[in-house]
Amino acid sequence: MNNSYKGRVIGFLLGFIFANFLGAILFMILGYIFFDKPANLKRQQNDEAVRAFTSNANYNESLVKVTFALMGYVARGAGRVNENHIEKASQIMNVMGLNPQMRKTAIEAFNSGKSDAFNLNDTIQEIKSLIGNNFSFVNFILEIQVQLALSDGVLEDEEYRRLMDIAVKLGASRESMEQYIRSRYNEMHFEQQFKDFYRSRYERGKSGAGYDYSNSDRSYEYNDSYSGSSSADSSKLDAAYKILGVEASASDEDVKKAHKRLMLKYHPDRLASQGLTPEMIKLYTEKAKDIQAAFDLIKKERGM
């Protein structure tokens, strides 16, 4: 655990500047009492919550329950739970590698979430009791809810309201939830552009022109032996820049920095150090594929 010393350092400097050495010592003590001690206690409680979560299989099951219950609740916001919602929920189960028993737990939780008897406030309290102050878990849960809501390509008003309600109740800002929604729209657009791109290649070349179209796990990979147009479709390229969070006018160096920052953010080791379970990390690995594919497209277009 990394202790906070900010309060003591700032207190010492202020005391030294505006008083004397004894004043600096006094202000340093006050900085510890009113800032460092509470911050360190909060961090300790968070670390303990993470250790308990990752070392107890029951906590994993509990997280699956609350996550999929919220998904059912969000899906119902569309008026009815449609095939896209069910398919996305199943896809998430597959990516997380849930065993048959955990899949059953997830399905039951999803069904409870979409029922009229579902109590959102009780579920929010359960989540808070599970994850403590670890906001990485909150990010994970919110991003999944956005994926589910947008699985049919439409965000209904009630779905939007429910997403915002969940975010605020979990301590996230409306602005951060807006960012998750925009990010997911960009990812979906990017994924679809690549599917269309490779489908077009397959139909033209029959053999796939160096690409095995039937292998969905490689659906975002380039093959440099392809001799098609040297310019990427502008819409596809625009989506790639949005995935990295940079403007098309950004320098090559800024593009590289954005890519590196995002790949570090979703690196499995970093995610594990934040207390995320292997199931969560698998989902973020899928996100990292889009980031890498976007960077590869931009590099190819720029000749980097």
Side-chain angles (χ1 to χ4, degrees), residues 241 245-256 258 298 302 304:
Y241 280 113
V246 296
E247 299 291 336
S249 58
S251 67
D252 289 354
E253 189 63 29
D254 286 340
V255 170
K256 291 176 182 177
I298 294 171
R302 291 186 173 208
M304 289 169 59

Side-chain angles (χ1 to χ4, degrees), residues 44-285:
Q44 181 181 3
Q45 291 172 340
N46 181 55
D47 290 344
E48 289 173 354
V50 170
R51 283 194 294 271
F53 188 97
T54 55
S55 63
N56 188 336
N58 291 328
Y59 274 82
N60 283 341
E61 182 175 358
S62 297
L63 181 66
V64 168
K65 284 182 179 178
V66 295
T67 301
F68 280 85
L70 287 181
M71 289 166 65
Y73 174 72
V74 170
R76 182 63 187 275
R80 71 177 184 88
V81 177
N82 59 48
E83 294 78 8
N84 297 105
H85 296 139
I86 295 172
E87 182 180 351
K88 173 55 70 173
S90 179
Q91 179 189 1
I92 291 173
M93 292 181 204
N94 292 337
V95 174
M96 292 177 74
L98 299 185
N99 60 39
Q101 181 56 45
M102 291 292 274
R103 287 182 70 93
K104 181 180 178 181
T105 296
I107 292 171
E108 290 174 349
F110 186 92
N111 289 334
S112 71
K114 70 179 185 179
S115 71
D116 293 334
F118 178 69
N119 190 310
L120 176 61
N121 290 330
D122 286 350
T123 301
I124 294 294
Q125 289 306 312
E126 184 176 358
I127 292 173
K128 289 182 176 180
S129 69
L130 285 170
I131 67 178
N133 298 313
N134 192 325
F135 207 72
S136 295
F137 283 109
V138 173
N139 291 335
F140 171 80
I141 291 171
L142 294 182
E143 288 196 43
I144 284 186
Q145 305 313 315
V146 171
Q147 286 188 33
L148 189 284
L150 291 176
S151 59
D152 58 356
V154 179
L155 187 62
E156 302 290 352
D157 289 345
E158 180 60 17
E159 286 180 297
Y160 178 83
R161 188 197 68 77
R162 294 187 180 198
L163 286 175
M164 289 298 170
D165 196 23
I166 291 170
V168 171
K169 282 180 165 61
L170 285 176
S173 66
R174 295 178 65 88
E175 290 75 17
S176 63
M177 179 53 91
E178 290 279 6
Q179 180 57 44
Y180 290 140
I181 293 171
R182 286 194 298 269
S183 177
R184 183 56 189 159
Y185 267 127
N186 292 333
E187 290 167 1
M188 290 170 62
H189 181 59
F190 185 71
E191 290 165 3
Q192 187 58 50
Q193 290 291 334
F194 263 79
K195 287 177 183 177
D196 292 344
F197 174 62
Y198 283 115
R199 183 177 296 113
S200 176
R201 283 178 55 184
Y202 179 76
E203 290 171 350
R204 285 198 304 268
K206 300 298 182 183
S207 65
Y211 172 75
D212 181 8
Y213 186 71
S214 65
N215 186 349
S216 60
D217 288 337
R218 299 180 63 236
S219 60
Y220 300 154
E221 293 183 8
Y222 275 104
N223 186 323
D224 289 335
S225 63
Y226 174 59
S227 58
S229 173
S230 61
S231 296
D233 176 83
S234 60
S235 181
K236 183 165 68 259
L237 189 62
D238 181 58
Y241 280 113
K242 288 178 179 177
I243 289 285
L244 295 189
V246 296
E247 299 291 336
S249 58
S251 67
D252 289 354
E253 189 63 29
D254 286 340
V255 170
K256 291 176 182 177
K257 287 180 180 177
H259 167 254
K260 183 177 181 180
R261 182 179 64 255
L262 289 173
M263 292 303 287
L264 286 175
K265 178 180 179 180
Y266 296 111
H267 191 280
D269 291 343
R270 182 179 184 277
L271 295 172
S273 71
Q274 294 177 324
L276 270 68
T277 65
E279 293 85 359
M280 298 177 184
I281 293 172
K282 287 179 182 178
L283 279 176
Y284 275 131
T285 300

